[in-house]
Amino acid sequence: MGDSLVDLLCRLADEHKGAASGDSEKVVIGLVGRGIQSSRTPGMHEREARRLGIGYSYLLLDFDRLGFPDAAIGDLIAAAEIAGFHGLNVTHPFKQAVIPVLDALSPEARAIGAVNTVVFAGGRKEGHNTDSWGFAESFREAMTGASMGSVAMFGAGGAGAAVANALMEMGVGRLFVLDSLPSRASDLASRMGALFGGRVETWPDPAAAVRMANGIVNTTPVGMAKYPGTPFDTALLTAEKWVADIIYFPTETELLVAARTIGCRTLPGIGMAIYQAVRAFELFTGCKADRRAMADHFEAAA
């Protein structure tokens, strides 16, 4: 795509600046993914920047809307750097695919094997992962006392890797990893097991995993508006289990509605969405973000 892609990103950035109010933007960020038109992340970042007096533009770079193939991710990352972007957030389905085109990874991103934040600095493209910290902070805040003996996690992609890392750091006794691609589940279980001394395993039978687990986490896209449904049969749930979903649009996924109806404690994806944005904003700007303000920005961006 070359120069034409650089020109496109420059034009999109200029159009966004022209539509924005306030001071001219000094920091330009983009969100790269598919089906991201409903994302509240741009609003969170821009409102926090405005509160701090920082000129800031945050663009949606939706591969579905732009008509780009997945293979263009490397070209887009390179073009964004040339076009003067300060960084990018990365979401489904690129959190792992983006790694080969980066120059460096933070220790956490390297351990997790997934990137959701790319910072352009000193001529280098640096990959970070703020999803893991975001999930952990959200869980600690809302799920105090939840049993962590065993957890069944659906999804072994980039988001799943970040959540698995968070769960193990929080002290889960056994983590069952399930994915539609068994090889991907096995790879994640092996990497997490090596980091945390075992305690992570694949489980071929979703029904058995749900029955055995104290808690269940959905890290797949199933439940989003674009992918309706649930990742497993919710009739398997019982009231003593807790259920978490990393999806935040819709706020109440079909899985969470079913779990709450049964009597389960539930954790929606809102908290993770807010806290990962807090850490990413700080990486992009070098400025401390206010968690409460970012939560208010999330609601304002609805």
Side-chain angles (χ1 to χ4, degrees):
M1 296 183 181
D3 293 340
S4 63
L5 183 51
V6 174
D7 292 340
L8 172 63
L9 295 183
C10 288
R11 178 173 59 80
L12 292 175
D14 287 341
E15 289 175 354
H16 188 83
K17 289 178 183 179
S21 60
D23 297 334
S24 60
E25 281 72 13
K26 297 177 181 177
V27 178
V28 181
I29 305 298
L31 173 62
V32 182
R34 289 194 178 278
I36 56 176
Q37 293 302 310
S38 300
S39 175
R40 300 190 197 181
T41 301
M44 278 196 289
H45 278 251
E46 290 184 345
R47 285 177 171 85
E48 182 65 2
R50 194 176 305 127
R51 187 185 70 83
L52 294 172
I54 301 170
Y56 203 96
S57 285
Y58 196 113
L59 287 71
L60 292 177
L61 303 176
D62 190 333
F63 271 47
D64 285 346
R65 182 68 63 90
L66 294 170
F68 291 168
D70 285 1
I73 183 62
D75 290 335
L76 187 137
I77 297 292
E81 183 179 25
I82 295 170
F85 282 60
H86 290 70
L88 298 167
N89 278 137
V90 181
T91 189
H92 176 78
F94 300 117
K95 291 183 178 182
Q96 293 167 319
V98 73
I99 290 177
V101 305
L102 302 179
D103 299 309
L105 296 177
S106 70
E108 188 169 49
R110 186 175 300 281
I112 294 168
V115 164
N116 79 317
T117 302
V118 177
V119 178
F120 301 133
R124 288 162 61 83
K125 299 179 285 289
E126 301 174 352
H128 300 262
N129 191 298
T130 69
D131 281 334
S132 184
W133 183 83
F135 180 84
E137 288 296 293
S138 173
F139 195 96
R140 292 188 187 102
E141 183 176 81
M143 300 293 279
T144 303
S147 176
M148 303 293 275
S150 58
V151 175
M153 187 185 76
F154 287 80
V163 170
N165 185 78
L167 289 168
M168 298 309 293
E169 287 187 339
M170 287 189 290
V172 166
R174 296 177 70 191
L175 179 63
F176 310 131
V177 180
L178 302 98
D179 194 272
S180 58
L181 297 175
S183 61
R184 187 162 63 177
S186 296
D187 178 65
L188 178 58
S190 296
R191 287 192 289 111
M192 289 294 118
L195 286 172
F196 294 98
R199 297 160 43 214
V200 186
E201 55 195 289
T202 58
W203 206 264
D205 183 358
V210 171
R211 291 191 185 101
M212 293 173 60
N214 302 118
I216 300 96
V217 185
N218 176 40
T219 75
T220 78
V222 177
M224 296 172 64
K226 187 177 179 179
Y227 306 102
T230 60
F232 60 89
D233 183 358
T234 57
L236 296 167
L237 292 172
T238 52
E240 73 275 5
K241 300 181 187 295
W242 55 263
V243 179
D245 203 325
I246 69 166
I247 295 169
Y248 73 85
F249 188 83
T251 304
E252 291 292 306
T253 61
E254 187 176 336
L255 172 61
L256 292 184
V257 170
R260 186 173 293 110
T261 299
I262 293 166
C264 303
R265 288 181 69 181
T266 59
L267 179 70
I270 290 175
M272 177 179 174
I274 293 169
Y275 288 137
Q276 66 80 23
V278 167
R279 181 61 63 85
F281 181 90
E282 292 173 349
L283 287 169
F284 291 141
T285 65
C287 297
K288 184 72 173 177
D290 185 287
R291 294 188 185 191
R292 290 186 178 276
M294 290 288 271
D296 291 341
H297 303 328
F298 181 89
E299 294 302 324

